[in-house]
Amino acid sequence: MSYLLASRSVEVVAPVESVFSYAANLENYSAWFPGVLSIRAKDSRALDEIGKAYEEIVSVPFGKSVKVLIRVVEASYPERLVTEGDLRVLLPRMELSFQALDDNKTLMEWRMYSRRRGKLAGLLRPLFRLVLQSRSRYALIRLKTMLEGHESQGS
C-alpha cells in the first residue's frame, strides 16, 4: 500500500514528447524541483528503461541532506514514468504522467507517495506531505516556465 503525499498537475505549451523527454530525464530534476540538490545517472540505460538508476542528494526537513538511490520501476514513452527510492524513512514513489491535449499542449501530472508503513512513518508523513506540497507547487511552475521558454526560443 502507498500513501499519497502530494499531487500536482500543470499544462505546458509544448509537445508531449518534449515535456516527457525533459521531465522524465531525472538528471534535469534538480533544475526544476526545489530541495533536490543534485541527481546523476548511475548507468547508461535509457531514461525510460526499467532499472535505470540515479543517485540523488535531497534536502529533508531539519536542514539535513541525504543520498537516495532511485530506480525506474515503470515507464511508457511518452505517457508515464514511475520511480522508487530507498530513503528509508519514506520509501518514496514518484509518478509522472503525460497527456497530449493537442499537438503543442501537454498535461503533466506529478505525484509522490510513501511506501513506508509503521508508526514512525505514520507520524512523519504529515511533515513530508507539507514539505512536498509546497515544493511541488513551485516545481511545476518552474518546469512550465522553463519548457515554454525553451520552446519560444526555438521557434
Side-chain angles (χ1 to χ4, degrees), residues 122-134:
L123 291 172
L124 292 175
R125 270 194 298 274
L127 173 62
F128 279 103
R129 185 174 290 118
L130 285 172
V131 169
L132 288 166
Q133 286 175 346
S134 175

Side-chain angles (χ1 to χ4, degrees), residues 2 20 23-26 45-54 70-85 92-98 109 111 113 115:
S2 293
F20 181 93
N25 180 350
L26 296 187
R45 294 179 186 189
L47 63 92
D48 59 345
E49 186 177 336
I50 305 299
K52 172 80 176 170
Y54 296 89
I70 308 243
R71 289 198 187 279
V72 172
V73 296
E74 185 182 327
S76 176
Y77 175 86
E79 295 91 21
R80 186 167 165 82
L81 184 85
V82 178
T83 65
E84 291 184 349
R93 176 183 172 93
M94 180 179 73
E95 297 182 0
L96 299 174
S97 298
F98 306 84
E109 295 179 279
R111 289 186 183 89
Y113 296 87
R115 297 174 289 128

